[in-house]
Amino acid sequence: QQQVKQSPQSLIVQKGGISIINCAYENTAFDYFPWYQQFPGKGPALLIAIRPDVSEKKEGRFTISFNKSAKQFSLHIMDSQPGDSATYFCAATYSGTYKYIFGTGTRLKVLA
Amino acid sequence: DTAVSQTPKYLVTQMGNDKSIKCEQNLGHDTMYWYKQDSKKFLKIMFSYNNKELIINETVPNRFSPKSPDKAHLNLHINSLELGDSAVYFCASSQGDGRDTEAFFGQGTRLTVV
């Protein structure tokens, strides 16, 4: 119940294309869902986050879509750029847990 | 002016040795964490501290002993290192329990046990 399932494991997209990464969870207590971006040799950094009271959140080229009834959420990267090539992690948490449950990560490669 | 800094960045040591990783944050956060990232990039919580108090110990072997001398520091000491301890260890911090706030990660310590 504490798992967050993430797919795909790896993704190759052409420059200018749309990258889509999906996550699913079981624990309905989760109420905060951040996405983290990690470049090689660096720590993860927050990209965008959403709470389940909204169905979509957009920041620049990055959009989270959230489906509360399906317990799924996804990250869309529009106009993908080579500089977006990184590993992306979805995560989930809820008040009082003092931890993020991370998905297994998606390695994104954007071809120039 | 690094927000969360860990030292060392690389650590190569022999099985059976004892080693420490240090972490400091200058963000004024009250919560600090240790995460372990394995060779498959999976990120798993090890410990959480809030205001120097241990909140989470996620079934980590007792060879791992965290210490938080103050809110800005969380160190990790590992006794009797084993091959399976090889991984990247990340320190992170947040304000509160991490919900609705950003957790900031250090750049990681790559531990290799030979």
Side-chain angles (χ1 to χ4, degrees), chain B residues 49-92:
Chain B
Y49 272 73
N50 176 255
N51 287 315
K52 303 191 300 175
E53 298 297 321
L54 178 67
I55 303 294
I56 287 178
N57 178 344
E58 198 81 349
T59 61
V60 178
N62 57 16
R63 297 183 297 104
F64 290 78
S65 51
K67 278 198 172 61
S68 182
D70 55 57
K71 288 197 302 183
H73 295 84
L74 180 61
N75 304 320
L76 184 65
H77 187 76
I78 316 169
N79 290 325
S80 303
L81 277 154
E82 300 176 357
L83 292 176
D85 298 331
S86 295
V88 181
Y89 292 84
F90 285 101
C91 176

Side-chain angles (χ1 to χ4, degrees), chain A residues 31-32 36 38-46 51 87 89 93-105 107, chain B residues 9 31 33 35 37 40-43 45 48 50 55-56 58 90 96-108:
Chain A
D31 62 0
Y32 179 68
Y36 277 78
Q38 184 180 26
F39 292 105
K42 302 291 185 184
L46 180 66
R51 294 183 62 184
T87 301
F89 294 92
T93 189
Y94 56 92
S95 182
T97 55
Y98 290 90
K99 66 180 177 183
Y100 291 147
I101 307 299
F102 282 94
T104 48
R107 192 168 295 190
Chain B
K9 186 171 181 180
T31 303
Y33 313 82
Y35 281 86
Q37 186 169 48
K40 295 184 178 179
K41 295 279 195 178
F42 185 55
L43 272 165
I45 184 73
S48 297
N50 176 255
I55 303 294
I56 287 178
E58 198 81 349
F90 285 101
D97 60 11
R99 181 179 172 273
D100 280 342
T101 68
E102 179 174 356
F104 289 80
F105 284 77
Q107 63 179 358

Side-chain angles (χ1 to χ4, degrees), chain A residues 59-108:
Chain A
E59 288 184 3
R61 296 184 294 109
F62 301 92
T63 299
I64 301 177
S65 297
F66 191 88
N67 185 330
K68 189 174 180 178
S69 60
K71 291 184 282 186
Q72 294 174 349
F73 58 110
S74 58
L75 176 70
H76 296 235
I77 306 174
M78 311 300 287
D79 187 27
S80 298
Q81 299 296 313
D84 296 331
S85 297
T87 301
Y88 292 80
F89 294 92
C90 61
T93 189
Y94 56 92
S95 182
T97 55
Y98 290 90
K99 66 180 177 183
Y100 291 147
I101 307 299
F102 282 94
T104 48
T106 296
R107 192 168 295 190
L108 171 66

